Amino acid sequence: GGESEARLVGNVCTDNGWNGIAFGDRARGAAYRNECSRNGLRGIHVSWRAEPTLEGNLCNENAGSG
């Protein structure tokens, strides 16, 4: 379990209580040209053994990092 390959393209993730986008466990997938701002934690969060491809994302004004 825990393996996914979501492809997120051109989303706007703002004002979420936690992260805008999150990749966890052993997720691979990709996030391209997304905008993540004003989220309660991070714009894009990568944890555990996740290995997503991240390209051209804009992350700003999040309470935590990117």
Side-chain angles (χ1 to χ4, degrees):
E3 296 179 25
S4 67
E5 293 197 25
R7 181 179 164 102
L8 306 171
V9 181
N11 296 286
V12 176
C13 303
T14 59
D15 299 312
N16 292 292
W18 291 79
N19 300 306
I21 295 173
F23 291 92
D25 207 357
R26 291 187 300 258
R28 293 184 184 251
Y32 301 107
R33 299 179 309 279
N34 298 287
E35 180 181 336
C36 300
S37 60
R38 298 187 314 270
N39 294 294
L41 292 176
R42 297 166 194 86
I44 299 176
H45 179 64
V46 178
S47 64
W48 296 92
R49 294 173 296 216
E51 295 179 350
T53 299
L54 306 174
E55 293 181 10
N57 297 291
L58 175 62
C59 298
N60 57 39
E61 298 181 34
N62 296 293
S65 59

